[in-house]
Amino acid sequence: MRTRPTEPPGDRHKMDSVPSTEAQNNFGRVMGRVAREGELYITKHNRPQAVLLSIDKYLELVGPAAMVELDPLSQRFDQMLAEMQTDRAAAGADRLFSMTPEELSKASKEGGFEDGE
């Protein structure tokens, strides 16, 4: 992976960089490097366009309060998934996939269909 120190205007801190095409084609390696080194410029035509930061570096800059609490989101996702796994939901999906294009068009215009229709 080609890299070279890059110094954007007004920045006294030199940071390694990688061309955007190389970052795109080797994203896994670039991410591994960022995880180890903390930060990396992504350049286009030899000019910095973006910065990749490790999570540790990001938290150092913005503080831990910036992290979204995922537990409530995970719980809501699990609840919604459980609701979709009911016999009623399965019957609705079966009905939907067995509809003709005409029936599907009619149901979409009427706002859906009820059980037993």
Side-chain angles (χ1 to χ4, degrees):
M1 186 175 350
R2 296 181 305 148
T3 61
R4 66 175 164 268
T6 303
E7 187 172 1
D11 189 350
R12 289 179 272 151
H13 174 195
K14 287 193 176 193
M15 186 185 318
D16 279 345
S17 67
V18 62
S20 60
T21 303
E22 188 168 338
Q24 179 180 348
N25 294 337
N26 299 296
F27 195 69
R29 283 193 293 183
V30 170
M31 287 292 292
R33 183 169 171 197
V34 169
R36 287 188 309 277
E37 297 178 18
E39 56 195 24
L40 185 67
Y41 284 126
I42 305 298
T43 62
K44 188 168 190 173
H45 305 295
N46 295 321
R47 298 187 65 180
Q49 297 293 306
V51 176
L52 287 178
L53 298 175
S54 68
I55 191 65
D56 291 336
K57 188 70 163 179
Y58 172 77
L59 290 174
E60 182 182 311
L61 293 171
V62 299
M67 291 298 291
V68 174
E69 181 58 49
L70 294 180
D71 286 341
L73 294 174
S74 294
Q75 290 170 359
R76 179 66 182 132
F77 174 82
D78 291 343
Q79 178 186 359
M80 292 173 72
L81 181 62
E83 290 170 3
M84 291 187 280
Q85 302 301 316
T86 64
D87 290 340
R88 181 175 182 230
D94 289 343
R95 169 94 169 99
L96 176 69
F97 287 110
S98 68
M99 294 175 107
T100 65
E102 294 78 21
E103 290 171 323
L104 189 57
S105 176
K106 181 180 176 188
S108 71
K109 291 175 186 171
E110 294 174 355
F113 60 89
E114 295 297 319
D115 289 338
E117 254 187 60

